[in-house]
Amino acid sequence: MTTSNPTMLSGISPSGRLTLGNYLGAIRNWVGAQGQFECFFPLVDLHAITVRQNPETFADRCLDFIAQYIACGIDPTENAIFVQSHVPEHSELAWILNCYAQTGELNRMTQYKDKSRRNVENMNAGLFGYPVLMAADILLYQATHVPVGEDQKQHLELTRDVAGRFNNLYGPVFTIPEPLIPAVGARVMSLQNPTRKMSKSDEVEGNLIVLLDSPDVISRKFKRAVTDSGNEIVQRVDKPGIANLLNIASATMNVSIDSLEERYRGKGYGQLKSDVADAVIALLEPVRQRYEEVRSDKNGLEDILAVGSEKARAKAAKTLTEVHRVLGLIPATSRDRTLDNGY
Ligand code: TYM
């Protein structure tokens, strides 16, 4: 069943607004991978409902995110862009994999521990099982490569462990995926609180650069970014603010951190901030300009999702059928016995 055809899968949960972190950690690398992999890019809406979403605005937010995928340069004619809930195989495989993930290993997930501290009033079982649904997303498509930011590394390790455990019991059903984590930009930090990750559901505006921020707003946010005491522009643990700006500069200007330290020797923080802002604006402005046009064509977006989910379902159903078979689940027999039921 397992294939070694280069297959890429990566998802984003539609909460909050897409940020520079999502772009540098994930989306930019999806764009660069097109043509080299068979690509699946689900918007993982079932992951987002682990925290309460407003049903009045949720569907619109999902379409906003899809339009941003396309505005960033994902070609929907070549790659499957779809919504997770349109492919019910994700939920079914997640249930099955729940029976192969250990509660002990889920308890060790740092994102779960962090989320449980922040969601005391709604500690639902979905938050606990979240990494298993993510494993299902990946394994359904026999993905060989999964481009993600640093924060998802532990979830990828869990996916590999669960897939390996299943394969050991039943034979090579799942491809074991490799994470693709960029050398720079894999962990963009909050601008006001650089010891914390830039998070798309953060409500403090100054903490994040939103993909659709105007150039003025981007400049202002970088100008106000927290820096550190002293005046040296170096990447050091005791200088998280400057280290974050250097990391963003390196990822957006395609220059190594070493060369940047050299370039900014003897220069002030203000210069670095204004250069980083310019580099980020140059990267994001074409996205913002393209976005309005893409987003205004709602029917076009829905057609893209219909085509994407059809392509996704074809592959997902194949994997799930194989999972049923190896588990010994009773085959669903068509009443029309002339139809091949796939077993
Ligand atoms: P999510 O929606 O939080 O983030 C989407 C992607 O953006 C990356 N990312 C960052 N990279 C750098 N710096 C940051 N500050 C930053 N913040 C986020 C994330 O690493 C991710 O790649 N569980 C996943 C979604 C998911 C998924 C999947 C990903 C569900 N199924 C299957 C890959 C494959 C999540 O919550 O990502």
Side-chain angles (χ1 to χ4, degrees), residues 9-13 21-22 25-26 44 47 130 134 137-138 146 148-149 151-152 185-188 197-198 200:
L9 179 134
S10 195
I12 294 186
S13 163
N22 301 126
V44 293
H47 279 88
Y130 183 109
M134 178 163 164
D137 300 338
I138 296 168
V146 182
V148 283
D151 62 332
Q152 297 302 316
R187 191 169 179 81
V188 176
K197 186 185 79 164
M198 184 182 284
K200 62 176 142 52

